[in-house]
């Protein structure tokens, strides 16, 4: 399908976005606090949820949309690599990794005359 | 040593349970009212001020990044703001936009988004007992649950301990509403300018989203399976995008997640046998 800015688009967002997300919030309220943290099912759920987000992340890095689509892949991979190194050296503080990655990206893009 | 380290991990995934296991039940702070008792208005104000904190600022920057991402993905501004209001959780929105861009059918988009949102259930189940009193109606909790996504949840779990129980619901509502409304405003404010940004700035804003997720997932992971799934998902993502262009996110999630779960499980069994 091609994306629509009209009513259909909002219905799509309500079903695939609002409903898909809030179902779990409501179930969370109803479930209260009795969840077996060590259950294998919950472990699988965590793995699937994380792998989904990770797949989106790597897609954004390898196949970005918008302006970055015109940038060379090595620039983006370099930024992520420098960010990861800074993150692990910097006691795994998110701001350090994020800052290093964005600074590297900006410097590399500037250097290639982006 | 390990316990201490975990305590300091503000983003920890299941902090309430951890606290409970250590015997720090919420009941311990229930009576913490004493002479310095403040009004509900005071705690509402404190909740709102939660915006001005490091996690609050990172959240705003990553929502500027989302505005850039939505704009560059061809999502109209009103829909980007609408998504922020009705979904709120950033990973779910990024997956929804990603599904829309790859032309996924409604059912595939729904499944991908809903799979990424399952984690909200245990998060909220852990938060609810912290903020409710006997008088709190379930419908009010159902409403306030919408305001909870990763950043609001981390902040709420950390901060409600210092709030008298009677005011916790108001505190969390104020915090969550402030974060949501500020992010919606910011998306609307940043979006129109994305096209006028120099490519370098637009590119860096766009890049905030993947980098923010990588860093915050890694630093908040309490279970090894999350780290394995992060690595597997990162590795599989681009190949799935080439092989299954419409439903790649769903395939990477279920396939990569199951693979990661199996790897971690085998690893765990091996350790158990060795021990």
């Amino acid at each position: 399908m091609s994306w629509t800015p009209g009513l259909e688009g909002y219905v799509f967002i309500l079903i695939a976005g609002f409903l898909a997300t809030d179902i779990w919030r409501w179930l969370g309220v109803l479930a209260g606090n009795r969840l077996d943290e060590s259950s294998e099912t919950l472990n699988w759920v965590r793995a699937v949820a994380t792998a989904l987000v990770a797949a989106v992340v790597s897609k954004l890095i390898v196949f970005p949309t918008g302006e970055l689509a015109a940038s060379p892949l090595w620039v983006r991979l370099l930024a992520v690599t420098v960010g990861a190194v800074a993150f692990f050296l910097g006691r795994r503080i998110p701001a350090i990794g994020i800052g290093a990655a964005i600074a590297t990206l900006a410097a590399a893009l500037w250097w290639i005359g982006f | 040593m390990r316990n201490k380290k975990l305590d300091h991990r503000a983003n920890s995934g299941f902090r309430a349970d951890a606290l409970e296991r250590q015997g720090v039940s919420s009941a311990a702070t229930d009576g913490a009212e004493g002479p310095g008792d403040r009004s509900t208005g005071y705690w509402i104000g404190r909740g709102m001020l939660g915006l001005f904190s490091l996690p609050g600022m990172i959240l705003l920057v990553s929502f500027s990044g989302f505005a850039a991402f939505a704009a560059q993905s061809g999502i109209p501004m009103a829909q980007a703001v609408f998504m922020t209001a009705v979904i709120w959780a950033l990973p779910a929105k990024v997956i929804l936009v990603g599904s829309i861009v790859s032309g996924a059918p409604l059912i595939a988009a729904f499944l991908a988004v809903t799979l990424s949102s399952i984690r909200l259930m245990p998060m909220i189940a852990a938060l609810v007992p912290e903020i409710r009193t006997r008088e709190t109606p379930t419908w009010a909790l159902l409403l306030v649950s919408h305001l909870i996504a990763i950043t609001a949840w981390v902040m709420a779990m950390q901060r409600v301990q210092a709030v008298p129980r009677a005011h916790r619901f108001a505190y969390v509502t104020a915090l969550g509403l402030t974060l949501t409304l500020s992010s919606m405003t910011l998306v609307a404010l940043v979006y129109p300018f994305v096209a006028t940004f120099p490519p370098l700035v637009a590119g860096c804003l766009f890049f905030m989203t993947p980098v923010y997720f990588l860093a915050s997932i890694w630093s908040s992971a309490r279970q090894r399976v999350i780290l394995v799934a992060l690595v597997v998902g990162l590795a599989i993502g681009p190949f799935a995008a080439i092989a299954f262009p419409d439903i790649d996110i769903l395939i990477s999630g279920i396939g990569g997640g199951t693979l990661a779960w199996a790897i971690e499980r085998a690893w765990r069994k091996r350790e158990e046998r060795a021990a």
Side-chain angles (χ1 to χ4, degrees):
Chain A
M1 57 166 274
S2 61
W3 187 242
T4 163
L7 185 65
E8 273 176 65
Y10 285 92
V11 173
F12 194 102
I13 293 168
L14 278 178
I15 296 172
F18 169 70
L19 196 62
T21 310
D22 267 30
I23 282 175
W24 299 108
R25 292 188 169 108
W26 299 329
L27 287 174
V29 170
L30 301 178
N33 60 349
R34 288 300 129 205
L35 257 166
D36 183 7
E37 207 194 314
S38 59
S39 89
E40 206 61 73
T41 316
L42 190 56
N43 240 3
W44 179 79
V45 166
R46 285 184 193 122
V48 170
T50 309
L52 266 172
V53 180
V56 172
V57 164
S58 73
K59 224 181 133 182
L60 292 181
I61 294 167
V62 178
F63 305 112
T65 50
E67 301 286 2
L68 268 191
S71 68
L73 178 63
W74 69 263
V75 166
R76 286 171 265 133
L77 292 180
L78 177 72
V80 172
T81 308
V82 172
V85 169
F87 174 74
F88 288 113
L89 292 178
R91 294 184 296 138
R92 299 180 192 179
I93 296 168
I96 293 179
I98 297 167
I102 298 297
T104 306
L105 181 72
L109 288 179
W110 176 80
W111 190 68
I112 62 168
F114 191 67
Chain B
M1 189 62 199
R2 180 161 172 75
N3 261 333
K4 196 175 171 193
K5 193 175 170 193
L6 284 179
D7 283 349
H8 287 153
R9 284 204 180 172
N11 289 341
S12 61
F14 290 85
R15 193 150 187 270
D17 293 356
L19 286 174
E20 208 133 272
R21 277 198 310 277
Q22 290 159 22
V24 188
S25 100
S26 49
T29 49
D30 282 2
E33 302 198 21
D37 193 17
R38 311 276 192 155
S39 69
T40 302
Y42 170 81
W43 291 109
I44 289 176
R46 285 287 299 270
M48 292 171 75
L49 286 177
L51 178 67
F52 302 99
S53 60
L54 182 64
M57 290 303 119
I58 292 181
L59 182 77
L60 291 185
V61 175
S62 48
F63 269 84
S64 309
F66 173 73
F69 172 51
Q72 300 190 359
S73 304
I75 305 293
M77 190 252 265
Q79 287 185 353
V81 176
F82 183 67
M83 282 181 191
T84 308
V86 303
I87 302 171
W88 180 216
L90 197 48
K93 292 195 323 181
V94 171
I95 289 169
L96 180 62
V97 173
S99 301
I100 289 171
V101 168
S102 58
L106 180 63
I107 184 71
F110 177 90
L111 282 173
V113 171
T114 213
L115 279 167
S116 81
S117 304
I118 294 174
R119 67 194 162 74
L120 289 171
M121 181 182 163
M123 283 162 54
I124 284 165
L127 179 64
V128 160
E130 299 288 333
I131 63 172
R132 83 184 312 170
T133 66
R134 274 194 205 89
E135 288 78 40
T136 315
T138 300
W139 62 262
L141 290 166
L142 289 174
L143 284 181
V144 83
S145 75
H146 182 73
L147 303 173
I148 304 301
I150 183 92
T151 303
W153 182 83
V154 167
M155 294 178 72
M157 292 301 281
Q158 283 175 317
R159 294 164 179 230
V160 288
Q161 300 302 325
V163 181
R165 179 164 288 267
H167 302 306
R168 286 182 184 175
F169 184 82
Y171 178 87
V172 170
T173 307
L175 172 69
L177 260 184
T178 307
L179 294 178
T180 312
L181 293 174
S182 308
S183 300
M184 285 167 65
T185 310
L186 196 73
V187 169
L189 287 177
V190 170
Y191 187 107
F193 295 103
V194 170
T196 69
F197 287 165
L200 196 151
V201 175
C204 287
L205 269 179
F206 176 94
F207 216 62
M208 282 299 300
T209 302
V211 173
Y212 169 76
F213 280 134
L214 281 181
S216 61
I217 292 172
W218 195 285
S219 76
S220 70
R222 283 285 294 272
Q223 291 87 13
R224 187 171 59 190
V225 69
I226 292 179
L227 303 183
V228 178
L230 186 62
V231 173
V232 172
L234 281 174
I236 286 184
F239 299 102
I242 294 166
F244 315 97
D246 290 350
I247 49 167
D248 55 327
I249 293 165
L250 195 57
I251 297 270
S252 325
I254 297 176
T258 304
L259 178 65
W261 168 79
I263 291 173
E264 198 276 339
R265 190 164 178 271
W267 186 354
R268 197 166 2 112
K269 297 282 179 224
R270 200 189 170 95
E271 279 176 351
E272 279 164 16
R273 272 200 307 275

